[in-house]
């Protein structure tokens, strides 16, 4: 097996022809250029990749020299060549449950670090069951969920508990993350991933069980704890004096935070409780908005799961390669707040990012995760296997993201 230190590239951006992969490539070009970081573009279609490189070179002429790697996600040999060429594969080829398994297997076998944007719990669970032990043996760090799901939650909870331990001598035994404000859109790949999860859940009761298990991503033998199901309907929250409702990403983020706690040897405590909800405001208006949103979300999920309704919905939803416009991405933002108490003291942590959370901000989070895995090996290389962002990169990644403009702040 090729040693990770002898590899040609630091990072390969796989899926560089897709909506999000293109944004990641642009972020790396802007933030790291072409000398400080050795990187390449990868995908299955040589013509499309060449067009992508030419388009990058219009803004950054040196991009004309970016190497291209052709690899199809169903072709094991091409994936092996790619995985052996680089320290880190940074992939936006999704839905991951459809296209991602062989790449995870290859990186795990080759000792190649890996990061992605999946939020597909059932896929991550399969990767854990099938490849965690191999990755531990090879030394690979496989890090799923390096985008809006689940970096703000996972690193927000870490920042919260680091502060609680430093200031009060112990972690908080419960944290709620409130989606305070968000402004953003969805791409074709994200819609396709949601539809694929719905299809798998409809076909397979075992998948449904995994999706509803709050501890589905914990290590085997540690899949129990005090948390129950995610919030499904409106509820008044006295802590923030506001109505709250379901937060669509709680289904993946909460599982990731719980896995982090387990991987960190229960740094947050064995009875730690974690939940995520969306804030809607107070009074009758807040209640009506929380109720309408809960019903709308339920209707959307039911529509996605029912093929005839879905066909209708697809007419208005973005297709592969499509997503929010450049203007919409720049106008986007997110602000999340994590709130809990330790020894009677109230702790509040704000996590904020500019740009559309799922795209502009996600490209920064994924790009920085890839660079962190490639460049901060000594500071981060303690855990191996299938990890979470906080367990793999922790405060080193927090500092990188702060330098890239994100806020993680104890208020
Ligand atoms: N967690 C988050 O916050 C977040 C945010 C954004 C996106 N995502 C996820 O990221 C993924 C990508 O989304 P997107 O909107 O960027 O999708 P997209 O525009 O449809 O791009 C998909 C990419 O996958 C490539 N691809 C498809 N089949 C392939 C194969 N067999 N072999 C190699 N490459 C293949 C496509 O290549 P071609 O160009 O050749 O077709 C394209 O580059 C989705 O799973 C989405 O859910 C997550």
């Amino acid at each position: 097996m090729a040693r990770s230190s002898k590899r040609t590239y630091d990072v390969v951006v796989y899926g560089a022809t897709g909506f999000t992969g293109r944004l990641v490539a642009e972020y790396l070009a802007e933030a790291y250029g072409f000398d400080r970081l050795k990187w390449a573009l990868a995908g299955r279609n040589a013509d499309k990749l060449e067009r992508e490189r030419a388009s990058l070179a219009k803004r950054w002429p040196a991009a004309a020299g970016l190497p291209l790697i052709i690899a199809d996600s169903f072709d094991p040999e091409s994936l092996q060549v790619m995985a052996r060429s680089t320290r880190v594969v940074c992939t936006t080829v999704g839905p991951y449950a459809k296209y991602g398994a062989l790449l995870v297997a290859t990186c795990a076998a080759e000792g190649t670090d890996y990061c992605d944007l999946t939020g597909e719990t059932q896929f991550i669970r399969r990767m854990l069951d099938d490849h965690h032990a191999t990755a531990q043996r090879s030394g690979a760090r496989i890090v799923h969920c390096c985008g809006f799901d689940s970096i703000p939650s996972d690193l927000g909870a870490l920042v919260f508990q680091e502060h609680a331990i430093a200031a009060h001598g112990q972690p908080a035994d419960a944290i709620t993350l409130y989606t305070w404000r968000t402004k953003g859109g969805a791409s074709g790949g994200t819609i396709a991933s949601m539809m694929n999860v719905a299809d798998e859940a409809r076909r397979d009761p075992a998948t449904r069980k995994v999706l509803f298990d709050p501890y589905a991503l914990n290590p085997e033998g540690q899949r129990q704890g005090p948390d129950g199901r995610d919030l499904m309907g409106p509820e008044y929250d006295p802590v923030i004096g506001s109505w709250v409702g379901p937060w669509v990403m709680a289904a993946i983020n909460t599982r990731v935070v719980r896995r982090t706690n387990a991987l960190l040897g229960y740094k947050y405590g064995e009875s730690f409780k974690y939940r995520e909800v969306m804030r809607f405001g107070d009074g009758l208006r807040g209640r009506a908005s929380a109720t309408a949103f809960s019903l709308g979300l339920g209707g959307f999920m039911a529509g996605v799961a029912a093929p005839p309704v879905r066909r209708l919905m697809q007419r208005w939803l973005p297709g592969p390669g499509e997503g929010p416009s450049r203007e919409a991405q720049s106008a986007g933002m997110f602000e999340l707040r994590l709130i809990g108490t330790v020894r009677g003291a109230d702790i509040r942590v704000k996590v904020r990012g500019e740009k559309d959370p799922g795209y502009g901000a996600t490209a920064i989070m994924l790009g920085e995760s890839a660079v962190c895995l490639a460049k901060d090996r000594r500071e981060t290389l303690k855990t191996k296997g299938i990890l979470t962002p906080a367990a793999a990169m922790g405060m080193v990644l927090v500092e990188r993201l702060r330098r890239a403009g994100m806020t993680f702040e104890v208020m």
Side-chain angles (χ1 to χ4, degrees):
M1 185 192 310
R3 297 266 326 153
S4 191
S5 56
K6 299 219 180 94
R7 303 207 173 178
T8 309
Y9 309 116
D10 295 317
V11 174
V12 167
V13 180
Y14 185 45
T17 57
F19 188 81
T20 320
R22 179 178 305 136
L23 297 176
V24 174
E26 289 175 5
Y27 177 72
L28 293 183
E30 181 74 38
Y32 293 96
F34 305 89
D35 297 325
R36 282 166 63 205
L37 188 75
K38 289 180 283 169
W39 58 291
L41 304 176
R44 62 176 166 178
N45 182 318
D47 291 343
K48 275 177 104 172
L49 272 179
E50 271 170 29
R51 283 202 296 277
E52 204 50 56
R53 178 171 62 182
S55 144
L56 283 172
K58 283 189 192 145
R59 281 173 70 187
W60 299 276
L66 273 178
L68 304 181
I69 298 172
I70 313 303
D72 189 287
S73 68
F74 297 110
D75 173 12
E77 275 170 36
S78 65
L79 294 181
Q80 190 183 53
V81 171
M82 176 170 75
R84 286 184 171 181
S85 74
T86 183
R87 287 166 174 250
V88 181
V89 174
C90 168
T91 172
T92 60
V93 173
Y96 294 87
K98 271 189 171 171
Y99 304 123
L102 195 52
L103 178 59
V104 171
T106 307
C107 288
E110 297 299 331
T112 302
D113 291 341
Y114 163 108
C115 53
D116 74 18
L117 288 181
T118 185
E120 299 147 84
T121 311
Q122 86 290 6
F123 165 71
I124 302 171
R125 175 60 180 274
R126 285 203 290 272
M127 298 305 98
L128 284 173
D129 293 346
D130 295 349
H131 307 300
H132 180 61
T134 310
Q136 282 188 308
R137 277 195 300 276
S138 74
R141 295 171 296 168
I142 307 289
V143 192
H144 299 296
C145 306
C146 292
F148 186 47
D149 38 336
S150 302
I151 280 199
S153 308
D154 200 25
L155 296 186
L158 181 70
V159 167
F160 188 114
Q161 296 292 38
E162 291 277 357
H163 172 77
I165 294 165
H168 303 279
Q170 65 182 64
D173 55 12
I175 298 176
T176 299
L177 178 145
Y178 298 90
T179 304
W180 214 253
R181 284 197 292 159
T182 57
K183 195 170 170 205
S187 70
T190 297
I191 302 291
S193 297
M194 288 170 70
M195 290 181 175
N196 188 61
V197 173
D199 286 344
E200 285 195 39
R202 198 180 53 238
R203 279 197 304 266
D204 179 18
T207 299
R208 287 202 291 279
K209 207 169 153 210
V210 165
L211 292 175
F212 282 113
D213 178 355
Y215 293 91
L217 300 184
N218 274 35
E220 209 180 333
Q222 300 173 52
R223 290 189 183 135
Q224 64 284 315
D227 278 317
R229 280 195 170 193
D230 304 315
L231 183 66
M232 301 298 281
E235 188 180 285
Y236 185 74
D237 189 308
V239 174
I240 59 164
S242 168
W243 284 86
V244 297
W247 169 229
V248 67
M249 285 175 177
I252 178 65
N253 294 340
T254 55
R255 279 61 169 170
V256 170
V257 171
R258 290 173 197 135
R259 177 167 177 77
T260 292
N261 188 27
L263 291 177
L264 296 181
Y266 291 98
K267 185 181 177 120
Y268 311 162
E270 288 196 28
S271 55
F272 173 63
K273 294 182 78 170
Y274 182 79
R275 67 177 198 145
E276 298 198 350
V277 298
M278 190 160 175
R279 179 184 75 125
F280 286 94
D282 58 5
L284 282 177
R285 201 165 161 188
R287 181 184 196 156
S289 308
T291 306
F293 183 82
S294 305
L295 291 171
L297 185 63
F300 180 79
M301 297 318 276
V304 162
V309 184
R310 180 197 295 191
R311 276 194 290 279
L312 262 178
M313 288 164 83
Q314 273 174 321
R315 290 196 201 163
W316 294 284
L317 293 170
E322 297 171 359
S325 67
R326 295 270 174 191
E327 296 71 42
Q329 285 178 50
S330 302
M333 58 80 62
F334 68 89
E335 183 173 324
L336 314 171
R337 294 197 187 173
L338 295 97
I339 300 181
T341 51
V342 188
R343 294 182 191 264
D346 197 38
I347 299 182
R348 294 179 181 231
V349 167
K350 178 163 83 180
V351 181
R352 189 184 157 103
E354 308 308 324
K355 300 191 179 171
D356 186 303
Y359 301 95
T362 280
I364 297 173
M365 291 186 257
L366 183 63
E368 288 296 340
S369 299
V371 177
C372 185
L373 287 170
K375 294 287 199 186
D376 303 332
R377 289 179 72 79
R378 201 168 303 149
E379 297 86 332
T380 53
L381 195 64
K382 287 176 205 81
T383 43
K384 296 163 187 150
I386 299 193
L387 306 172
T388 59
M393 297 170 275
M395 293 303 290
V396 181
L397 182 57
V398 171
E399 290 310 326
R400 277 192 170 277
L401 292 172
R402 282 178 171 151
R403 288 197 294 276
M406 259 179 84
T407 302
F408 291 90
E409 175 192 315
V410 180
M411 298 169 73

